[in-house]
Amino acid sequence: MTLHTPVTQDAAQPAYNYAYLDEQTKRMIRRALLKAVAVPGYQVPFGSREMPLARGWGTGGIQITAAIIGPQDRLKVIDQGADDTTNAVSIRRFFEKTANAKTTEATDEATIIQTRHRIPEAPLQAGQIMVYQVPQPEPLRKLEPREAETRKMHAWAEYGLMQVKLYENIARFGEVTTTYDYPVLINGRYIMAPSPIPKFDNPKMHMSPALQLFGAGREKRIYALPPHTSVKSLDFDDHPFRIQSWNEPCALCAAADSYLDEVVIDDQGKRMFVCSDSHFCETRREDGHRGAMLADATSSGLVGESKL
Amino acid sequence: MTDETLIGPGFADPVFQSQGAFRAILAALAEPGTRQAVTEGLTPPNGLHAAAATALLTLADYETPIWLPPALRDGAAGAWLRFHCGAALVAEPGRAAFAVIDGLASAPALADFDAGTDQFPDRSATVIVQCAALEGGEAVTLSGPGIPGTRTIAPAGLRDSFWAEVAANSEAYPLGIDLLLCHADALFGLPRSTRIEGAF
């Protein structure tokens, strides 16, 4: 008796539905998305499915993208601003494989931009959809661990605790020390976690012409920001909200208005600051902008010649 | 078998037709007051506009009870939705997740539908209003999320009290129902977050 029947190559191909999710799951996610859009900033519970990668690696964003993507779409995926890091590459390949998706690295060409922890530097346009991967959708969770309580706080707009937290920050350190996932008030009603984007990106959400969708796979929540919606970073009259600034421009493209990452370049303590948005930086270098360390970075192989 | 009980076909290509229709509905609710056309190629049952039938086929299933006017519920439209969506058709408006109403019918009132609860405002109904036309009626001005400044729409064939009911619905924000105003294969979205001004 043969225990193993050989499987032919064709039969071994997995027969997934378009964009991996089954149609009933897509309907459930689509209904949640519509309610999320109707109540901006409110977290809609949804039946998060098991995906072929671990929860916490962007399964919320992937499920939203899978529920909205179609043959006309062009998908861009970024991880901390970069198109070429692990999370971005594997998610892009997932949709190329399961949805035959057209992909791009150019922000202005994309119709759907799935992102982990950044908003691109290039201004978003009407008709584009941002999909955020969210690890912790509940902005009040660190202040109140009980879901039953945070739900009531949102229901009754009891947000004093958050103001107290920001106040204690100022009392102790002289300023609000939260630098990412900085809480925002949506449409004057719900406090929302903008996902762990740097507070540098918060002003880009305010009145953005693009639709912004947020998915938390492990925490099973979906929320949304329609275009042209007010997004206010919480602050005090005498301590207004401020974004980060740097003493030097990008070392590769000399941009003075983008979000910079610190990169350690040797074991002697040398470091440089470069744009976190890789496509923005490359586009500027192609346009002839040259930063102070571009020549060094090219000769040591950190930046490819073709990107000059 | 008579024409009354004959069930017509649904989507020929369920995956892509429902994806296209969903994106139109998403755009309609994300940008209230912009006219969106749903994908063509669906022959709706008697009594339903193509946009209403497409929206229900895209969004409704065994998890979402549907309310229809009694004449539609007992006719071809009811049979069509039961068969294609597998959805329960309910008689009380308050139990429905989706509903189709005629713009001119005096009942049920918008307030009869489930507006959600303060802790779960997402559990409210989505009501599809079938209008005589999407222009040429009484003009109302919309503002709120999704609208840069204001937008004006003027759908025709709505009962006299309709806009006052919609205004009362948005007063209850974040509670409230969400509306899709449709005619033929086009629709407007009117989520509860939209504020209404007009001469009503």
Side-chain angles (χ1 to χ4, degrees), chain A residues 94-203:
Chain A
F94 175 77
F95 283 109
E96 281 168 354
K97 212 168 187 176
T98 61
N100 200 17
K102 290 176 283 187
T103 56
T104 180
E105 293 195 0
T107 305
D108 53 350
E109 283 175 15
T111 57
I112 300 174
I113 303 172
Q114 181 170 334
T115 174
R116 173 177 174 271
H117 307 359
R118 264 324 299 283
I119 299 176
E121 304 290 355
L124 300 176
Q125 300 155 13
Q128 287 184 320
I129 301 180
M130 285 285 292
V131 178
Y132 296 78
Q133 301 168 198
V134 183
Q136 177 51 266
E138 179 50 76
L140 304 168
R141 184 62 71 230
K142 279 187 180 160
L143 308 171
E144 171 52 70
R146 289 167 296 180
E147 168 68 14
E149 290 302 315
T150 53
R151 192 157 279 285
K152 286 178 201 160
M153 291 160 78
H154 283 295
W156 304 330
E158 279 189 1
Y159 292 135
L161 203 55
M162 183 60 93
Q163 297 289 352
V164 170
K165 183 215 159 190
L166 296 179
Y167 166 75
E168 284 183 343
N169 240 237
I170 292 170
R172 197 175 298 170
F173 304 109
E175 62 177 337
V176 178
T177 52
T178 306
T179 52
Y180 64 94
D181 212 352
Y182 192 102
V184 287
L185 184 70
I186 305 303
N187 192 26
R189 177 59 180 81
Y190 284 100
I191 285 190
M192 184 189 96
S195 88
I197 58 171
K199 67 177 179 177
F200 180 89
D201 285 340
N202 278 17

Side-chain angles (χ1 to χ4, degrees), chain A residues 17-18 23-24 26-31 33-40 42-45 49 67-73 111-112 126-127 129 148 151-152 154-156 186-187 189-190 209 211 213 226-229, chain B residues 14-16 18-20 22-23 25-27 29-31 56-64 85 97-98 118-126 144-149 151 173-174 176-178 180 191-193 195:
Chain A
N17 189 24
Y18 176 80
E23 290 301 301
Q24 201 276 327
K26 286 187 195 170
R27 269 196 301 274
M28 175 270 296
I29 293 172
R30 286 167 181 171
R31 289 194 296 259
L33 283 170
L34 294 181
K35 288 302 174 190
V37 163
V39 192
Y42 166 75
Q43 303 161 48
V44 181
R49 299 296 191 250
I68 64 175
I69 198 168
Q72 286 80 32
D73 284 310
T111 57
I112 300 174
I129 301 180
R151 192 157 279 285
K152 286 178 201 160
H154 283 295
W156 304 330
I186 305 303
N187 192 26
R189 177 59 180 81
Y190 284 100
L211 170 63
L213 307 173
H228 312 290
T229 300
Chain B
V15 172
F16 295 109
S18 60
Q19 188 271 337
F22 168 70
R23 286 289 283 276
I25 299 166
L26 181 67
L29 283 168
E31 294 178 71
L56 288 173
L57 219 48
T58 301
L59 297 171
D61 57 27
Y62 61 86
E63 293 183 333
T64 57
C85 302
F98 290 98
D118 57 358
Q119 295 190 30
F120 291 95
D122 57 299
R123 295 182 183 172
S124 67
T126 303
I147 304 168
R151 275 198 193 106
Y173 181 85
I177 59 170
D178 305 305
L180 294 170
R192 64 194 95 169
S193 58
R195 290 181 295 279

